[in-house]
Amino acid sequence: MAMRQTPLTCSGHTRPVVDLAFSGITPYGYFLISACKDGKPMLRQGDTGDWIGTFLGHKGAVWGATLNTDATKAATAAADFTAKVWDAVSGDEVLSLAHKHIVKTVSFTQDNNCLLTGGNDKLLRIYDLSNPEAAPQEIAGHTSAIKKALWCNNDKQILSAAEDKTIRLWNRSSMEEVKTLTFDTSVSSMEYVADGEILVITYGKTIAFYNALSLELIKTVEAPAPINSASLHPEKDFFVAGGDDFKLYKFDYSTKEELESYKGHFGPVHCVRFSPDGELYASGSEDGTLRLWQTAVGKTYGLWKCVLPVCENADILTTTKY
């Protein structure tokens, strides 16, 4: 019996959506933040896509956005040379951290005490959020703009990806480089999966999986089109990817077989992430929208309700949303 994927479309942004992130699961559900070139990051209920609020204060495109685990804080990275920390409950700006160039990426430590930033000035910075007036720690080494930086290994190490075609692993305490991966082309995205210490990266048409501690290659998968982002399911059964051909692809993680592909966006897909419960994945696109896709098509979840067609002879199960 075939089933049709019916994504939920989240409107509101007026420019391309370039980054998104989910919180962990909280007593109030889980949440989704989006970064957009319109300079207005948005917070949504994660399972429905319902708009909760917009963080107002940036004066340029927002390139990166993240939530802490319990969704009480948000952080954003922008072209106005600042990273900002927000109260995600009230929407108020808590801190504005001045940089010397465009900021592209932000990441909280698990205890919420530190914020990691990276951007076009090629430096990684670690801010002590309990003492924001203090100068940040700075880590130099990349030779081009940093696109993504993440904490890993229980915040003892840092992973960074840059336009210099490298991914670097850093020791937090010594601030020294532990290992470098070099590629033939610039890495387009990087996701860290703490459970299992897996690093998911994309470059060209390749989706690659590495051990995050050793940076040893686990496997690579070739997609039909250039890929901008990929995300591994929490249970590691499959992964999804999106890129230049407007499609979302779903692959079996073990066999590397392409299971499904869906076209819903009207522009290249810039970012894709699984929800913390693995029931859906969100995508952000050049077309200015976010879309939520069911992992198991046809399941009743969130705004999706499984409905059988009226026609007795119909063999297609469709999913409608209310």
Side-chain angles (χ1 to χ4, degrees):
M1 183 179 283
M3 287 179 279
R4 187 171 66 219
Q5 174 80 261
T6 306
L8 303 176
T9 302
C10 307
S11 303
H13 284 301
T14 57
R15 297 286 310 283
V17 178
V18 291
D19 192 27
L20 57 85
F22 284 100
S23 71
I25 298 173
T26 79
Y28 307 99
Y30 60 87
F31 300 88
L32 170 65
I33 191 171
S34 53
C36 180
K37 289 186 183 180
D38 63 11
K40 296 175 181 176
M42 292 185 178
L43 184 69
R44 297 176 187 273
Q45 193 72 38
D47 60 341
T48 62
D50 289 342
W51 177 84
I52 294 171
T54 301
F55 299 101
L56 299 174
H58 279 297
K59 294 179 173 65
V62 175
W63 288 100
T66 191
L67 293 166
N68 66 349
T69 303
D70 64 4
T72 56
K73 290 182 180 177
T76 50
D80 60 8
F81 293 18
T82 70
K84 292 183 186 288
V85 178
W86 312 81
D87 182 319
V89 180
S90 68
D92 294 334
E93 180 180 315
V94 177
L95 285 172
S96 186
L97 304 168
H99 288 63
K100 295 172 183 174
H101 212 308
I102 293 168
V103 191
K104 287 288 184 74
T105 178
V106 280
S107 179
F108 287 110
T109 47
Q110 293 176 50
D111 61 13
N112 303 326
N113 289 337
C114 293
L115 185 73
L116 173 66
T117 71
N120 285 16
D121 65 2
K122 312 169 196 172
L123 293 174
L124 292 166
R125 289 183 174 83
I126 301 171
Y127 289 88
D128 180 349
L129 297 180
S130 64
N131 186 17
E133 300 302 318
Q137 294 177 290
E138 294 183 351
I139 303 175
H142 279 294
T143 58
S144 293
I146 295 167
K147 300 173 80 169
K148 194 77 174 177
L150 301 165
W151 297 101
C152 66
N153 190 13
N154 290 315
D155 300 336
K156 295 175 196 162
Q157 293 179 307
I158 293 167
L159 286 158
S160 57
E163 297 279 5
D164 59 14
K165 303 177 184 176
T166 69
I167 284 181
R168 303 181 194 227
L169 180 66
W170 310 85
N171 186 297
R172 179 185 182 179
S173 57
S174 69
M175 314 267 283
E176 291 179 353
E177 192 176 311
V178 178
K179 190 169 182 180
T180 300
L181 294 175
T182 304
F183 301 89
D184 293 332
T185 185
S186 180
V187 171
S188 51
S189 76
M190 179 171 70
E191 178 187 58
Y192 167 65
V193 182
D195 180 16
E197 296 289 347
I198 297 172
L199 182 64
V200 186
I201 66 170
T202 59
Y203 56 93
K205 294 182 179 180
T206 303
I207 304 147
F209 300 85
Y210 284 81
N211 180 292
L213 302 181
S214 65
L215 292 191
E216 296 296 324
L217 180 66
I218 299 170
K219 68 179 77 176
T220 61
V221 179
E222 294 300 309
I227 295 297
N228 296 323
S229 183
S231 185
L232 180 62
H233 188 270
E235 294 177 8
K236 302 172 190 64
D237 296 327
F238 28 74
F239 62 94
V240 291
D244 287 356
D245 65 353
F246 308 3
K247 287 185 178 180
L248 273 298
Y249 292 93
K250 183 177 172 184
F251 295 86
D252 185 292
Y253 181 63
S254 298
T255 66
K256 307 197 284 191
E257 176 190 1
E258 181 186 321
L259 301 175
E260 300 161 350
S261 68
Y262 301 110
K263 190 172 179 182
H265 284 293
F266 297 98
V269 177
H270 292 309
C271 45
V272 59
R273 283 292 177 268
F274 270 107
S275 62
D277 64 1
E279 291 286 353
L280 60 82
Y281 48 99
S283 57
S285 167
E286 184 75 16
D287 66 15
T289 68
L290 291 139
R291 289 174 197 258
L292 305 183
W293 310 78
Q294 280 191 289
T295 302
V297 180
K299 185 175 180 178
T300 295
Y301 178 84
L303 296 181
W304 288 286
K305 182 165 181 173
C306 190
V307 179
L308 284 167
V310 176
C311 175
E312 293 178 1
N313 299 320
D315 62 353
I316 295 177
L317 188 68
T318 60
T319 308
T320 63
K321 54 185 186 290
Y322 294 105

